[in-house]
Amino acid sequence: QVQLVESGGGLVQAGGSLRLSCAASGRTFSAYTMGWFRQTPGKEREFVAAIRWSGSVSIYPYYADSVKGRFTISRDNAKNMVYLQMNSLKPEDTAVYYCAASTSFIATIQIRLQETYGYWGQGTQVTVSS
């Protein structure tokens, strides 16, 4: 069983920064693929970023085009943590952000699909004012 707890959301002005954190349980955290998704009312949950397990393979991040160059996903396997550094925030980044985990291998073609991930956090609200 994997439990995920997000933190770090809040209210920020456009152009500002926030760092979201996700604390994960599980002894094999380093083997998980971790993702961040976001959702606004009336819309489907959308992919933001993902990072593969480390192991002996180089970590490779994936980003949605809308956040590429502004957001950075990272992980600290020693602390069972994954982070989402969000810079140059825009009002359209306003959403509830969710941390997600998969304990199975995810093909690249599937890494942006929410149904690929079996575990989810409760979400943290990010509001960007104009």
Side-chain angles (χ1 to χ4, degrees):
Q1 188 72 13
V2 177
Q3 291 186 326
L4 305 172
V5 179
E6 303 99 333
S7 61
L11 173 64
V12 64
Q13 288 188 333
S17 299
L18 281 176
R19 188 176 82 154
L20 304 184
S21 300
C22 175
S25 65
R27 291 178 295 175
T28 58
F29 173 76
S30 62
Y32 303 166
T33 294
M34 302 299 298
W36 286 97
F37 289 75
R38 65 187 182 187
Q39 188 171 25
T40 54
K43 293 188 177 181
E44 290 191 359
R45 196 170 296 185
E46 67 171 359
F47 171 78
V48 175
I51 188 165
R52 288 194 178 282
W53 65 290
S54 52
S56 61
V57 179
S58 297
I59 297 172
Y60 188 82
Y62 299 82
Y63 297 99
D65 289 343
S66 59
V67 306
K68 200 173 296 183
R70 300 187 297 121
F71 290 12
T72 302
I73 187 172
S74 62
R75 65 190 298 162
D76 185 337
N77 290 335
K79 296 181 179 179
N80 281 17
M81 296 290 293
V82 64
Y83 305 99
L84 185 68
Q85 178 66 44
M86 306 185 295
N87 298 329
S88 302
L89 282 162
K90 304 175 181 179
E92 50 263 45
D93 294 319
T94 295
V96 177
Y97 283 71
Y98 296 90
C99 177
S102 172
T103 58
S104 303
F105 174 77
I106 300 178
T108 300
I109 197 171
Q110 296 174 307
I111 207 165
R112 291 173 172 83
L113 304 178
Q114 59 171 319
E115 53 265 32
T116 300
Y117 297 82
Y119 301 94
W120 294 84
Q122 81 288 351
T124 185
Q125 176 71 46
V126 172
T127 302
V128 184
S129 63
S130 57

